[in-house]
Amino acid sequence: MLRKAISSVLAASALALSAGAVAASAPSEIKLGTLYASSGPFAAISMPVYLGLKLWVSEENAKGGVMVKPYNKRIPIKLVSYDDQSNTATATTLYNQLITQDKVDLLVSDSGSVLTSIAVPIAREHKMMLFDQTGTGGTFFTPDNPYIALMSDPVSTIWPKYIADFLTQEGPKLGIKKIALLYATNDFTGTQANAFRGFVQKSGAPVKIVYDKGVPTNTSNYTVLINNIRVSQPDAVVEMGYPGNDIAFLRNLRDSGTHFKWLFAIYPGLETEHMVATVGNDGLRYVYTYAPSSVVQYHAESGMSLPDFKAAWTKAYPDNKVAFGFNAVAGYTTGLVIQNALAVTESMDQLALRKAVFSLSGKLKTIDGTFELDKNGAQIGEITPLGQLVPDGKKGLKFAIVYPHDVATGKAVYPAPSN
């Protein structure tokens, strides 16, 4: 009996010492490092992502921090962030600073493929897991780089699938035979354009791309390009660019008096409030676009529902200086992936974090849809349906999801009315 009692005391003491050792080794904070662009051409997509991520940090810290499995406790998050001002050289310096000087535990990229493209090799060199928020360039994800995973939107190589499917499957029924493709030559839209072209060519449908042109991302005047597209007499036009590209194209299109019967652009859907403010409702009427998770309500099993998140956003940022849209959802989704990964990771080692992130694939459902990765870390879930902005009868616009049919809320209007 005495021997058993002594053994029990020793075991209890060992457990207490073990628990104490874990508690003693737990850091006082988890440092999350990221960049944002408060100015320059990428500010419109960067700031909402940053504020969405920042809102998640505030929500978790209000609970005492994020639950971290290796320490079996909640640990506050310290957000270490710097303004790269949309400048890739500045971003290069700041990514290195986050890793080598600030020694962050978690590295999160700035928004978009341009500002993510420089983070990919830096993270890989330093063997830091890169939580890629919205950098969708297909070249980022390779078998020899285990230090990246895309959080909040599908890789560009599959993103335009529903556009191509609509034009090749539904288009011929509507009389669409000729397509014009205009895109900005960066990792984000250049990859999408290549994917779109491939989908159309492989479809075998009786449609043909009669105009195919890539332009620099800093293009600000599309008047001549619009005229050249008009000369090719397309039945459908697909224009792919960042917000600045879309704004310039749509404004120039309106000013030129040219009318296309079917027109797609990316950011009327992703950042609708911003596009309405800069282009106006008239310039967006009947435009086809992505219908993102900021307008499509998915069943969230982790984190807030879309209405709750939008209410939290409005409460946190009442000045409305940064428009609410898909990128706000993307930043918050990044936080949710990190939260769920920390809850299951075996350690804070970077490859252990990667393993934890990949363990969520196909299982994690947020307001952004189902999180799912391919073997190289590219996002293959969270695909956005094809929508069309149509008049709401109140001098505004509303989303009609037109494809695929199983999620459609309306029929495509073709040809688009000219006024």
Side-chain angles (χ1 to χ4, degrees):
M1 292 292 291
L2 179 60
R3 188 174 296 172
K4 287 184 178 180
I6 292 172
S7 297
S8 297
V9 170
L10 290 173
S13 298
L15 285 172
L17 286 171
S18 177
V22 170
S25 64
S28 61
E29 60 191 16
I30 297 293
K31 289 196 285 187
L32 188 159
T34 192
L35 304 184
Y36 63 90
S38 69
S39 59
F42 304 117
I45 61 172
S46 177
M47 287 309 297
V49 167
Y50 176 62
L51 294 184
L53 179 65
K54 192 174 180 181
L55 179 55
W56 169 79
V57 170
S58 298
E59 292 281 323
E60 286 303 293
N61 280 345
K63 303 172 187 175
V66 65
M67 178 59 70
V68 186
K69 182 185 176 184
Y71 308 114
N72 195 31
K73 62 181 292 187
R74 287 187 175 273
I75 301 177
I77 305 161
K78 180 180 180 181
L79 183 62
V80 184
S81 55
Y82 299 110
D83 185 357
D84 58 39
Q85 301 176 346
S86 296
N87 185 291
T88 53
T90 301
T92 299
T93 299
L94 294 175
Y95 280 126
N96 277 296
Q97 181 174 326
L98 287 169
I99 297 170
T100 62
Q101 297 180 38
D102 297 305
K103 299 187 183 304
V104 297
D105 302 296
L106 306 168
L107 181 65
V108 179
S109 64
D110 198 344
S111 178
S113 291
V114 172
L115 295 173
T116 299
S117 65
I118 52 177
V120 176
I122 293 172
R124 180 179 178 179
E125 177 187 353
H126 292 280
K127 298 183 178 179
M128 286 288 296
M129 178 65 187
L130 181 64
F131 291 86
D132 173 2
Q133 300 200 87
T134 61
T136 64
T139 58
F140 300 165
F141 310 97
T142 55
D144 59 348
N145 182 14
Y147 295 101
I148 186 172
L150 179 54
M151 302 288 104
S152 305
D153 50 13
V155 64
S156 290
T157 50
I158 63 170
W159 201 342
K161 185 177 187 307
Y162 287 147
I163 314 170
D165 284 355
F166 178 89
L167 288 173
T168 57
Q169 296 177 25
E170 302 299 316
K173 302 174 189 176
L174 298 171
I176 294 175
K177 297 179 180 179
K178 296 187 293 184
I179 302 171
L181 174 62
L182 176 66
Y183 59 96
T185 53
N186 57 66
D187 285 319
F188 176 52
T189 49
T191 304
Q192 286 197 52
N194 287 337
F196 173 80
R197 189 185 300 111
F199 288 140
V200 171
Q201 291 171 349
K202 290 176 184 178
S203 71
V207 296
K208 182 180 180 181
I209 298 177
V210 295
Y211 181 93
D212 191 337
K213 178 75 173 178
V215 297
T217 304
N218 63 359
T219 299
S220 58
N221 191 317
Y222 284 81
T223 302
V224 173
L225 293 163
I226 289 169
N227 184 62
N228 292 340
I229 293 172
R230 182 184 59 79
V231 170
S232 70
Q233 297 182 324
D235 302 306
V237 176
V238 175
E239 183 271 325
M240 294 177 166
Y242 276 117
N245 304 110
D246 286 3
I247 291 167
F249 177 85
L250 292 167
R251 282 177 170 174
N252 291 162
L253 183 64
R254 179 191 58 203
D255 294 344
S256 71
T258 301
H259 173 71
F260 295 125
K261 295 180 287 185
W262 194 102
L263 172 64
F264 173 90
I266 293 174
Y267 281 93
L270 300 192
E271 294 298 334
T272 308
E273 290 183 11
H274 178 65
M275 296 298 291
V276 167
T278 52
V279 176
N281 286 331
D282 289 347
L284 300 174
R285 290 170 69 246
Y286 301 106
V287 169
Y288 291 82
T289 187
Y290 293 125
S293 49
S294 53
V295 297
V296 179
Q297 190 167 336
Y298 296 100
H299 175 64
E301 296 178 0
S302 179
M304 291 181 272
S305 66
L306 181 59
D308 288 345
F309 175 63
K310 191 166 186 180
W313 172 278
T314 302
K315 181 179 179 181
Y317 311 117
D319 57 12
N320 292 319
K321 288 183 179 179
V322 175
F324 180 87
F326 163 73
N327 284 295
V329 172
Y332 177 62
T333 299
T334 296
L336 293 177
V337 176
I338 291 172
Q339 173 187 323
N340 282 273
L342 290 175
V344 299
T345 188
E346 294 301 322
S347 77
M348 291 300 292
D349 175 79
Q350 295 298 306
L351 290 180
L353 290 171
R354 179 186 190 272
K355 183 179 178 181
V357 170
F358 273 73
S359 75
L360 306 174
S361 181
K363 303 172 185 176
L364 179 62
K365 301 181 189 306
T366 73
I367 59 173
D368 201 23
T370 299
F371 177 83
E372 186 174 359
L373 301 172
D374 72 7
K375 62 182 180 180
N376 297 325
Q379 182 64 225
I380 55 175
E382 305 169 346
I383 301 179
T384 57
L386 178 64
Q388 186 179 26
L389 292 170
V390 297
D392 63 2
K394 303 174 184 178
K395 297 184 179 181
L397 298 171
K398 65 179 181 180
F399 264 93
I401 299 172
V402 299
Y403 196 84
H405 296 305
D406 59 349
V407 296
T409 60
K411 291 185 177 181
V413 178
Y414 181 87
S418 58
N419 51 49

